[in-house]
Amino acid sequence: MSHCTTYPMVFRDKRLLFRAMRETGLNPENRVWQSFGTEWQKKLGIGGEEIGKLLTGKRGRLHLIFMETEDGLQPVFECGSLSGEALEAAGKGLLAEVQAAYLRCAVNEACRRYREAGLHAEVSESVTAEGPVFVLTFGTAGKSVTVTKRADGVIEERVQGVTGRSCTDATAVLERLLASPVASSLQRTWTPAYQTTVEDRELQVLRLTRG
């Protein structure tokens, strides 16, 4: 292993998030959303303040709304029949489903970009007690990135078969889709393989071709 990176999962790509919500049966749509001061105003549709066009989805009476911030798309839950701890519990379960689907979309997007760079790449998926696990294998000589979403919402990446500092190129696409733009959110643990002076040529190609 050349390095291990952990970071809190963030929704960064609205297009992939739309796809993930669709996969979880939330019938996503971009719609104008309003904020109301009271439940009474909301029921009557009066006195609302327009927030903007937001990505929303719905399961039963539970609404999932994503607010666009500098740190990515942040989820907010609304439900006319739930509040407090009950709303929090229902939202937590639904959010875990969306996170797993979004992670799958992100790993598949990284795989697609590897292939566009001319590298062989494929994805396998499994579920463990820790959470969903995706293994992205690419290139030659057993190179891979193993991505795990832990129960606390933290993403863990483990890079195998890559030597030199180009190992960070193996995860750059994933981190642009899954991590906060704040560099300090990434916690990396390096191994001796990272200090190797020979750079991986396949990943150098990926670095030159990635968008």
Side-chain angles (χ1 to χ4, degrees), residues 102-114:
Y102 180 83
L103 177 57
R104 181 182 302 108
C105 291
V107 175
N108 285 328
E109 177 66 13
C111 182
R112 184 187 68 80
R113 296 190 192 183
Y114 271 88

Side-chain angles (χ1 to χ4, degrees), residues 59-75:
R59 178 174 292 172
R61 299 186 66 183
L62 182 63
H63 289 268
L64 172 56
I65 308 116
F66 282 94
M67 309 290 291
E68 296 189 37
T69 72
E70 292 182 357
D71 198 35
L73 294 137
Q74 300 296 325

Side-chain angles (χ1 to χ4, degrees), residues 6 22 30-31 49 85 92 98 116 124 132 156 189 199:
T6 59
R22 187 172 57 198
N30 290 292
R31 54 173 289 196
E49 180 181 350
E85 293 182 357
K92 183 178 180 180
V98 175
E116 285 184 346
S124 61
E156 179 184 274
T189 302
E199 295 295 313

